[in-house]
Amino acid sequence: MPLDAKFDPATHHFRLVGTRPLRPDGYDKVVGRARFGADASAPGMLVGRILRSPHPHARIRAIDTARAAKLPGVKAIVTRDDFKDGDPSLKDVLVNVMARDKALYDGHAVAAVAATSASVARKALKLIRVDYEILPHVTDVDEAMKPGAPILHGDMRTENIEPAPKKASNVASRCEFGHGDPEQGFKQADVVIERRFKTEATHQGYIEPHACLASVGSDGQGELWVCTQGHYMVRNTCAALVGMDVSKLRVTASEIGGGFGGKTTVFIEPVALALSRKAGKPVKLVMSREEVFRASGPTSSASMTVKIGVTRHGRITGAHADIRFQGGAFAGSPIELGAMSAFACYDLEHVKAVGWDVVTNRPKQAAYRAPGAPMVAFAVESVLDELAHKIGMDPVELRLKNTAKEGTRSSYGPKYNRIGLAACLEAARRHPHYEAPLGPNQGRGIAAGFWFNFGGQTCVSLNVNIDGTVALAVGTPDIGGSRASMCMMAAEELGIEYDKVRAIVADTSSLGYNDISEGSRVTFSTGLATIAAARDAIGKLCARAAKIWGIAPEAVVWENGRARPAGPNAGDFAPLSLAEIAKTAAKTGGPIAGHHEVNADGAGVSFAVHLCDAEVDPETGRVTIKRYTVVQDAGKAIHPSYVEGQFQGGAAQGIGWALNEEYVYGRDGRLQNPGFLDYRIPVASDLPMIDTVIVEVPNPGHPYGVRGVGETSIVPPLAAIDKAKAGKKRR
Amino acid sequence: MVRVTTRINGDEVTFVCEPDETLLDVLRDRLNLTGAKEGCGTGDCGACSVTLDGRVVCSCLVLGAEAEGRQVGTVEGIARNGKLHPLQEKFLEFAALQCGVCTPGFLVAAKALLERNPDPTEAEIRFGLAGNLCRCTGYDKIVRAVQAAAAAMRKG
Ligand code: FES
Ligand code: FES
């Protein structure tokens, strides 16, 4: 359902969209009543715990659980033997959930117990004997690519290279995007710069560890309560992994304490279900923080070579990137997204990005906010900044000269529709921050960022209640205030007050399939489906009014929350409000509901520009962020506070990535900093206020012009901060 | 097992727990007060913040047995008779929560901060709340909400 050509969101007077009402789930969250993953319990519940490999790479010769099983209070133990091979497309997920022949990283699950208490479960884990044959390991991406590196998977042959390799390697695949011929482009350049970059893996760092409560009966039916970004994905994946009918597993998404992409897969859920089935009792399984760091998804670490050429007048003539991502022990790093996004900000004739997907003895990476893009943007934006400096051009000017616009053929293929990068660059240049004087030892950095945004499968149901209120059921877990935005869009369409709509996240048995809350897709797709469901309901409300009046349904229009005859010929009837029609629904045909099911496309790409001032202590080298401004295109901001929140949160995560967050592996292949003390995410005293500018270039793919805003904000910070740190030297 | 008598949010409570059980586990698993969250279990995130005789502590680092004869304050006790505390109101108004899992800890810590210092500077708020991690907001809206609550409370 695209934007109507006659409808301009920039000038349309919205009643609710663009205002800042209180979120419907807010009260519960400030009084401590909201129920997150670990907050549920059930009668007779057991406590689950997972035994994890201390070795980065080891063959598992045998697992002896006999002594643990005899410990009083132990009710079930599961190992690899309890998880049978099934769907080949889920093999890696299964092996990641429970190790098979080998432990592939420090923290890989090898067994799990369910017991009557946490202390019994802990004791039981100590009684399980695992016979390991320790193998050589590799955790660095460049090392893993070298000939002679320890091989993780004997059957891995690099895909997409000619001739097809005969020997196993840690390189899962190669990919390539672009057009033209960069070599020819470099010949036309006055300055060509090539640089090599490395970035370490970071963790999403959600404050709520993974948690679930599983209950499976001997009748084969099960319930699962879980903190996840996608409970339908959890249902389908778990049903396949533990061998259940999809219809027999009902999954409820708890309130979710942060995800950022890290809760888009399964880790402990199939284990909890298997334990529960074996024990015949509910099992609660919660990861410790250490387990979160060691065994849930961090990002890829990256090694990158970027080469860009420009003319003296600031025209980019050629751009090339070679990008190596390790994504942990399994294929599937976000290398394609990284390579596709590398030069997406610019309008280029000669551009190419080559990517390599590499496996190492680290936990399987999971999506993290714009997966793959921040590190690649770091490399590309850094080289651009250096080029701007070299040719003596303002860095914003250089970007404006090459900015992608409507009609530009993107570096990854498709032509852009209406986009907002130029508008963001202009807004950044106009912002008082851009020209503000810098203090001693301070520098300023600027960088641009891109993200694709996604749509996807979405299903929404909207029920009109007897008192004229509306119950809205969506299937996308609310990871940052989306229920508020959905209520606003439904109320806007229906012409009723915001607080008359109540949105819930329905469980998997109550509403049709919904893709995961990821890819910045919720406000776009679920919003689009909510608007369409409201319009569906409006059609039915009009038909009921027509029936009451005894006129044709086409002769009724919906205006300001009321049905009224369309014109003088339709008859002279007093308008009927939604509440009035709802009250008599039983007499006019029964319940009134609107629905919409869609596989949404047209998500509309997103761009941002960040400005950062940093101060470097000349004695200690400590970097302090003094000022930070985020400029980003939201298409149309439904609830501006939560749009700003996404901008600020992404920037803060980027600041952490740039300054102090990093996965540190020792020579022993073990993670050295699996806790918040040593893996230090920014705290309040590390940051300044984060200023935001919401640019609104409507997305033609959404009825109100909405673009997703969740991810782009983590893309520019790495380069912006690095330049701000270095800027001091240059000025 | 030890038997402990304490006061939680003003009410007398008696519970039994293991000698090595944390106050956080007692609150959550035995008393069903799940407002305090476990984000780390090692004193690094502040999601489990409660007050013990008015002082903010990480309840994951306190034993349940240590609550004997003390006053425990949790997020569930901040609203009084169904009326929200100014901090709770301002957190909602300023959108100071995204996922909200850090919110209970921030509210407990911010309330104690404002009781000590009714007119804190931005830096005092930032350092006063530096023991509480929030991964969603970048702290901007949290700091503004605390400033606004402090102003509202000073007006009375
Ligand atoms: S759970 Fe207590 S400080 Fe994190
Ligand atoms: S709102 Fe999610 S951690 Fe603070």
Side-chain angles (χ1 to χ4, degrees), chain A residues 327-480:
Chain A
F330 302 91
S333 76
I335 186 63
E336 295 200 357
L337 298 175
M340 287 163 77
S341 67
F343 299 107
C345 287
Y346 304 107
D347 183 359
L348 305 172
E349 202 184 326
H350 300 294
V351 57
K352 190 190 224 180
V354 175
W356 304 90
D357 182 21
V358 182
V359 298
T360 64
N361 294 111
R362 294 194 188 206
K364 180 172 165 56
Q365 69 80 38
Y368 180 21
R369 214 169 196 150
M375 43 285 228
V376 179
F378 168 55
V380 169
E381 293 292 298
S382 295
V383 172
L384 273 185
D385 202 80
E386 204 181 333
L387 285 165
H389 183 68
K390 259 262 162 60
I391 61 170
M393 184 172 282
D394 174 272
V396 171
E397 184 61 28
L398 175 66
R399 287 170 173 90
L400 271 170
K401 271 192 179 346
N402 297 283
T403 184
K405 328 173 247 311
E406 183 169 359
T408 295
R409 180 180 179 196
S410 68
S411 57
Y412 59 94
K415 264 207 177 113
Y416 287 129
N417 214 320
R418 244 184 116 182
I419 55 170
L421 177 56
C424 288
L425 286 162
E426 300 282 9
R429 196 157 62 170
R430 274 196 312 272
H431 195 280
H433 184 172
Y434 196 59
E435 292 293 343
L438 286 165
N441 303 316
Q442 293 181 4
R444 176 164 301 143
I446 176 173
F450 158 89
W451 186 244
F452 305 89
N453 289 342
F454 292 96
Q457 300 189 70
T458 310
C459 177
V460 162
S461 171
L462 182 154
N463 289 291
V464 177
N465 298 323
I466 187 160
D467 60 352
T469 60
V470 165
L472 178 66
V474 302
T476 37
D478 180 350
I479 48 178

Side-chain angles (χ1 to χ4, degrees), chain A residues 565-577:
Chain A
N569 296 342
D572 186 17
F573 301 102
L576 284 172
S577 70

Side-chain angles (χ1 to χ4, degrees), chain A residues 23 30 39 289 644 661 682, chain B residues 37 97-98 135 139 141:
Chain A
R23 61 196 281 170
V30 297
D39 296 341
R289 177 56 54 182
E644 292 161 4
E661 294 180 34
Chain B
K37 308 297 177 198
L97 47 139
Q98 269 175 41
R135 190 58 157 172
Y139 305 102
K141 293 186 190 303

